[in-house]
């Protein structure tokens, strides 16, 4: 059994219709309950919930502060390689894009570690393109023990792996894995993933199951906003989270809601989401799962991030470079030849921390200790 | 005074360091609370830096005893390892043992907690285990060498108060080590009630840290704990649904 069995029973069009038919009464009922079911979540992401946004935001803020306190946890992505064997129509790393390719050597890695540590980060997210021949298990076996010595918490956003691979990486110090389905709409998924192992929808969909069985501490899931109708994709993410929480109850979960950003080989989003709707989505996730970590990346503008951060978000990246080797040169933001996508919030870590402080919150650089990863 | 292991405490209000909006708010609230035992999550602090935002201000307060906790540990093995690191770095053998493999409600694992308590007590730790309000488990932990027990009032951070009240009363009645009610205490009245029931102390974090005015809330808790303890020591009157007339109906018999 895996989520695939549950997923195959979900009907995309039926859920889409259900969201569209929600009424003000459905929204009010959802807002009055302490623990929401999936149908109530659909009400909160529906157009009918739009007039209730302020109330949703207030409840979301209160639940977030109660559960997570007055804190926002910071992390930084480390791009290990932009090599990729997939052709995906929305990604800068796509095989067809004529960009310079680079994979960090161990010396490059040392330099990146030094540059990142100088900014105080303890939580690291490792990112690669999907090129198992270059950045596969052999590479990870070299990289993880080295990073483990320097950082308190290590997450990965790389190609889906087998359960035994995850178990081995956990023994080397891996704490969390993020794996986004991009879209849960199978026909669209097939349309945007033209070549490479990423085209295997089912293997990707079952990745959180393999992680749960491996006993990983944290799993991040989400959908890329822009590939399909965002409301229905969000409903699928919520169903996935519901399933995972009940099945792998020892694991923590995080949700991301990345909006498509400009990149090499750009694809025009088919489903635009406004700032107002993104706030609605964040608050709906918070009301649905008060204990889930909600993460906001530097894809969003500084102004949007500052305003939305008190409302439900618990985790933010800062000072991100989406290109391998991007931190060694302090002026890296000027050099974008290798990047996956263009970031929007270019502020330095201390500026982000100051913005968090200005909202009456504390920037937390360390919220996990490597001793729990042994 | 409250005695746990070899230490005497004037205050029966223990506090925590999590969820505050900054270091200053945390420090001021803890000082205002008069708390002498303050817990901090090992996963949050930099054990090897004297400048750590949580540790540094606490180390400056001579009356404050540090109570490192193992929040984040999912089994006995992780908790024991974390405890050993904390003892080495902080030079204290006091430990709040927290093992919660359930990240949703953060409910403690009784089996792993008992296992870890046995090992840690043998290694010389002063162990204060965070547990569900389970009277039988409390007796097992006592036998395993726990210096106190810390049953929850309701799920951690929930502010729901003493949902486990009946079981807390059994624990207080039966247990021979101090009982510190931990988790779920959302208001000073909850804390006062726990003290009236006979708890030896309470630990409060979220309700103070997340308050719009943490210092004022810390003072409110301090006063509530003090009032609750005084009421317990004075002896509360018994309760009855029937009226107890001040001029009893059979008083005439005394005159006969």
């Amino acid at each position: 059994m895996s989520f695939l069995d549950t997923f195959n029973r979900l009907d995309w069009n039926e859920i889409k219709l259900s969201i569209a038919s929600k009424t003000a009464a459905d929204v009010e009922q959802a807002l009055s309950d302490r623990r929401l079911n999936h149908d109530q979540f659909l009400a909160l992401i529906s157009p009918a919930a739009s007039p209730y946004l302020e109330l949703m935001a207030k409840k979301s803020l209160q639940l977030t502060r109660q559960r997570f306190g007055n804190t926002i946890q910071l992390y930084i992505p480390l791009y290990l390689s932009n090599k990729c064997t997939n052709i995906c129509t929305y990604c800068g790393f796509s095989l067809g894009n004529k960009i310079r390719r680079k994979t960090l050597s161990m010396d490059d890695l040392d330099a990146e570690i030094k540059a990142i540590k100088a900014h105080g980060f303890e939580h690291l997210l490792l990112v690669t393109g999907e090129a198992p021949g270059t950045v596969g298990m052999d590479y990870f076996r070299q990289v993880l023990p080295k990073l483990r010595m320097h950082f308190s918490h290590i997450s990965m956003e790389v190609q889906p792996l087998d359960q035994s691979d995850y178990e081995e990486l956990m023994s080397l110090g891996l704490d969390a894995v993020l794996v986004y389905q991009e879209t849960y709409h199978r026909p669209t998924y097939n349309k945007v993933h033209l070549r490479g192992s990423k085209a295997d929808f089912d293997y990707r969909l079952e990745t959180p199951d393999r992680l749960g069985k491996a006993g990983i501490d944290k799993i991040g899931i989400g959908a890329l906003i822009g590939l399909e109708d965002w409301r229905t994709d969000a409903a699928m993410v919520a169903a996935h989270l519901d399933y995972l929480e009940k099945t792998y109850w020892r694991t923590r979960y995080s949700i991301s809601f990345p909006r498509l950003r400009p990149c090499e080989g750009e694809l025009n989003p088919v489903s635009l989401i406004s700032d107002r709707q993104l706030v609605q989505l964040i608050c709906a996730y918070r009301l649905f799962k008060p204990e889930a970590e909600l993460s906001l990346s530097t894809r969003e503008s500084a102004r949007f991030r500052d305003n939305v951060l008190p409302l439900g978000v618990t985790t933010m990246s800062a000072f991100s470079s989406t290109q391998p080797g991007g931190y060694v040169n302090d002026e890296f933001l000027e050099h974008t030849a290798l990047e996956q996508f263009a970031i929007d919030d270019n502020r330095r870590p201390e500026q982000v921390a100051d913005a968090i402080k200005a909202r009456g919150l504390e920037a937390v650089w360390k919220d996990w200790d490597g001793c729990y990863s042994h | 005074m409250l005695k746990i292991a070899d230490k005497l405490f004037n205050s029966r209000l223990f506090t925590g360091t999590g969820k505050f909006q900054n270091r200053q708010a945390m420090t001021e609230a803890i000082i205002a609370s008069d708390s002498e035992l303050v817990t901090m999550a090992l996963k949050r602090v930099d054990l090897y830096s004297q400048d750590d935002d949580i540790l540094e201000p606490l180390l400056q307060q001579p009356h404050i005893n540090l109570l490192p906790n193992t929040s984040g540990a999912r089994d006995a093995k992780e908790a024991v390892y974390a405890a050993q690191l904390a003892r080495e770095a902080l030079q204290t053998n006091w430990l709040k043992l927290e093992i919660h493999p359930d990240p949703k409600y953060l409910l403690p694992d009784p089996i792993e907690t008992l296992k870890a308590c046995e090992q840690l007590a043998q290694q010389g730790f002063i162990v204060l285990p965070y547990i569900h309000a389970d009277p039988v488990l409390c007796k097992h932990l006592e036998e395993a060498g726990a210096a106190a027990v810390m049953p929850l009032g309701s799920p951690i951070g929930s502010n729901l108060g003493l949902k486990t009240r009946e079981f807390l009363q059994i624990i207080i009645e039966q247990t021979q080590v101090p009982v510190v009610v931990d988790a779920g205490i959302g208001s000073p009245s909850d804390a006062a009630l726990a003290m009236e029931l006979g708890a030896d102390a309470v630990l409060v974090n979220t309700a103070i840290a997340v308050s719009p005015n943490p210092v004022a809330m810390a003072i409110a808790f301090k006063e509530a704990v003090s009032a609750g303890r005084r009421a317990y020591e004075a002896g509360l009157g018994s309760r009855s649904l029937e009226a107890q007339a001040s001029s009893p109906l059979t008083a005439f018999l005394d005159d006969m």
Side-chain angles (χ1 to χ4, degrees):
Chain A
M1 286 287 283
S2 74
F3 178 65
L4 188 58
D5 304 290
T6 307
F7 177 76
N8 285 337
R9 289 195 295 274
L10 299 173
D11 185 305
W12 178 278
N13 291 327
E14 210 172 274
I15 291 173
K16 192 172 179 178
L17 198 62
S18 174
I19 295 168
S21 64
K22 295 296 180 209
T23 64
D26 295 327
V27 177
E28 285 171 18
Q29 198 266 331
L31 285 170
S32 67
D33 274 11
R34 199 170 138 254
R35 278 276 164 191
L36 309 188
N37 61 33
H38 190 252
D39 194 56
Q40 290 171 315
F41 174 76
L42 301 192
L44 294 184
I45 58 170
S46 73
S50 181
Y52 297 86
L53 186 58
E54 183 60 24
L55 184 55
M56 285 174 67
K58 281 182 177 151
K59 285 196 77 166
S60 176
L61 182 148
Q62 186 264 327
L63 282 171
T64 310
R65 295 288 77 82
Q66 183 178 338
R67 174 76 187 198
F68 295 93
N70 298 302
T71 61
I72 296 281
Q73 199 245 301
L74 291 175
Y75 71 94
I76 189 166
L78 169 56
Y79 278 68
L80 296 170
S81 174
N82 61 0
K83 283 194 178 171
C84 193
T85 54
N86 294 314
I87 295 185
C88 311
T89 57
Y90 54 87
C91 178
F93 286 175
S94 188
L95 178 66
N97 290 339
K98 302 291 178 214
I99 60 169
R100 197 152 56 84
R101 304 287 174 169
K102 181 175 173 61
T103 299
L104 298 187
S105 68
M106 290 307 113
D107 286 345
D108 291 335
L109 192 64
D110 285 336
E112 289 282 280
I113 291 170
K114 200 173 163 197
I116 290 174
K117 288 294 284 186
H119 295 297
F121 288 99
E122 283 290 335
H123 287 230
L124 192 66
L125 169 63
L126 304 179
V127 187
T128 67
E130 298 195 4
T134 314
V135 277
M137 283 299 290
D138 286 344
Y139 185 75
F140 299 145
R141 283 184 192 108
Q142 283 184 281
V143 163
L144 266 173
K146 188 186 268 282
L147 293 168
R148 177 78 280 162
M149 291 162 59
H150 297 281
F151 295 94
S152 296
H153 189 271
I154 299 176
S155 309
M156 256 188 164
E157 189 180 339
V158 305
Q159 70 273 18
L161 300 168
D162 291 340
Q163 183 184 329
S164 57
D165 292 335
Y166 287 132
E167 284 164 359
E168 184 183 346
L169 295 179
M170 286 162 58
S171 75
L172 298 175
L174 181 65
D175 297 301
V177 172
L178 316 183
V179 56
Y180 307 129
Q181 189 59 27
E182 315 300 12
T183 177
Y184 288 75
H185 187 254
R186 197 186 282 270
T188 301
Y189 186 94
N190 294 337
K191 207 164 72 183
V192 297
H193 297 104
L194 302 176
R195 203 187 110 174
S197 54
K198 195 169 180 179
D200 189 341
F201 181 95
D202 290 359
Y203 187 69
R204 193 170 188 88
L205 190 72
E206 290 184 309
T207 307
D209 278 283
R210 296 194 298 280
L211 284 161
K213 285 174 187 153
I216 192 94
D217 178 61
K218 189 164 84 176
I219 301 173
I221 60 171
L224 184 55
I225 298 173
L227 293 179
E228 250 302 335
D229 172 59
W230 67 265
R231 289 188 166 94
T232 316
D233 256 332
M236 294 295 189
V237 171
H240 203 166
L241 179 58
D242 233 358
Y243 160 86
L244 291 169
E245 266 194 352
K246 284 174 186 148
T247 312
Y248 309 105
W249 60 275
R250 289 179 178 83
T251 299
R252 294 187 289 152
Y253 295 94
S254 71
I255 302 278
S256 293
F257 11 79
R259 289 196 271 199
L260 265 182
R261 290 283 303 149
C263 68
E264 191 71 27
E266 197 169 338
L267 171 94
N268 287 326
V270 298
S271 172
L272 290 171
I273 185 170
S274 66
D275 286 355
R276 185 180 171 83
Q277 288 168 332
L278 184 52
V279 171
Q280 180 185 350
L281 181 61
I282 292 169
C283 295
Y285 276 132
R286 171 58 62 230
L287 268 56
F288 180 52
K289 296 289 176 192
E291 59 285 338
E293 294 181 17
L294 300 184
S295 181
L296 197 60
S297 77
T298 52
R299 286 171 181 262
E300 301 299 334
S301 68
R303 183 175 172 274
F304 182 79
R305 293 207 325 154
D306 289 355
N307 282 295
V308 87
L309 71 87
L311 303 184
V313 169
T314 59
T315 313
M316 289 172 84
S317 54
F319 200 53
S320 307
S321 166
T322 68
Q323 54 183 330
Y327 298 111
V328 173
N329 182 349
D330 206 30
E331 301 301 317
F332 72 87
L333 293 170
E334 304 298 320
H335 306 280
T336 59
L338 311 178
E339 72 179 10
Q340 185 185 27
F341 57 84
I343 64 167
D344 203 345
D345 183 352
N346 292 323
R347 290 174 297 178
R348 300 183 69 82
E350 57 275 19
Q351 291 175 299
V352 174
D354 284 347
I356 291 169
K357 195 176 170 187
R359 300 276 162 176
L361 300 169
E362 182 185 22
V364 172
W365 302 86
K366 176 178 182 281
D367 192 26
W368 186 257
D369 197 286
C371 70
Y372 296 124
S373 310
H374 287 273
Chain B
M1 287 181 94
L2 167 63
K3 187 175 183 192
I4 300 180
D6 57 349
K7 273 203 169 71
L8 291 170
F9 297 93
N10 288 304
S11 167
R12 292 174 182 269
L13 172 60
F14 301 158
T15 52
T17 53
K19 301 188 175 182
F20 286 94
Q21 70 179 52
N22 55 44
R23 164 192 169 129
Q24 190 187 352
M26 177 196 81
T27 310
E28 288 174 1
I30 290 172
I31 290 172
S33 75
D34 277 351
S35 178
E36 296 163 299
L37 192 65
V38 178
T39 189
M40 84 282 303
L42 288 166
K43 66 178 183 181
R44 276 287 302 277
V45 298
D46 181 353
L47 290 174
Y48 298 98
S49 167
Q50 295 295 305
D51 297 332
D52 181 83
D53 266 359
I54 293 173
L55 282 177
E56 197 266 339
L58 298 181
L59 291 170
Q60 288 180 16
Q61 307 296 325
H63 69 288
I64 287 179
N65 300 277
L66 300 181
L67 181 63
N69 71 59
T70 60
S71 167
R74 293 154 300 192
D75 56 30
K77 193 178 160 203
E78 287 181 355
V80 169
Y81 187 70
Q84 289 165 341
L85 279 182
R87 179 163 65 177
E88 188 191 325
L90 298 176
Q91 300 297 307
T92 176
N93 60 347
W94 282 62
L95 182 82
K96 182 181 172 198
L97 176 61
E98 285 190 46
I99 301 178
H100 34 70
D102 148 39
K104 187 170 181 177
Y105 289 104
L106 304 173
L107 293 172
D109 184 327
I111 299 162
E112 294 295 311
T113 302
L114 181 59
K115 212 189 291 179
C117 184
E118 281 167 351
Q119 292 176 35
L120 290 166
Q122 280 173 12
Q123 292 173 26
F125 282 91
I126 308 296
V127 189
L128 287 72
Y130 163 61
I131 47 168
H132 210 291
D134 179 338
V136 175
L137 178 63
C138 284
K139 294 305 288 181
H140 279 300
L141 287 164
E142 194 181 298
E143 288 169 357
V149 288
M150 303 185 78
L152 56 79
S154 50
I156 206 162
S158 68
N159 290 341
L160 289 173
L162 305 187
K163 296 294 181 197
T164 56
R165 176 176 172 165
E166 308 304 328
F167 300 100
L168 289 172
Q169 282 183 291
I170 297 171
I171 291 169
I172 290 164
E173 177 196 329
Q174 293 186 340
T175 306
Q176 298 182 79
V177 292
V179 177
V180 183
V181 177
D182 180 14
I185 290 178
S187 63
S189 57
D190 295 332
L193 177 58
M195 299 308 295
E196 286 174 5
L197 294 177
D200 296 282
V202 295
L203 194 151
V204 181
N205 184 187
T206 298
I208 294 174
V210 176
S211 163
N213 188 340
V215 167
M217 189 57 82
I219 293 168
F221 269 104
K222 176 176 73 172
E223 291 171 351
V225 167
S226 176
R229 179 66 188 180
R230 187 165 294 193
Y232 172 75
E233 287 171 350
L236 295 169
S238 59
R239 296 180 184 200
S240 168
L241 280 177
E242 290 169 13
Q244 304 291 322
S246 53
S247 302
L249 298 176
T250 54
F252 71 95
L253 292 171
D254 297 336
D255 301 330
M256 290 185 71

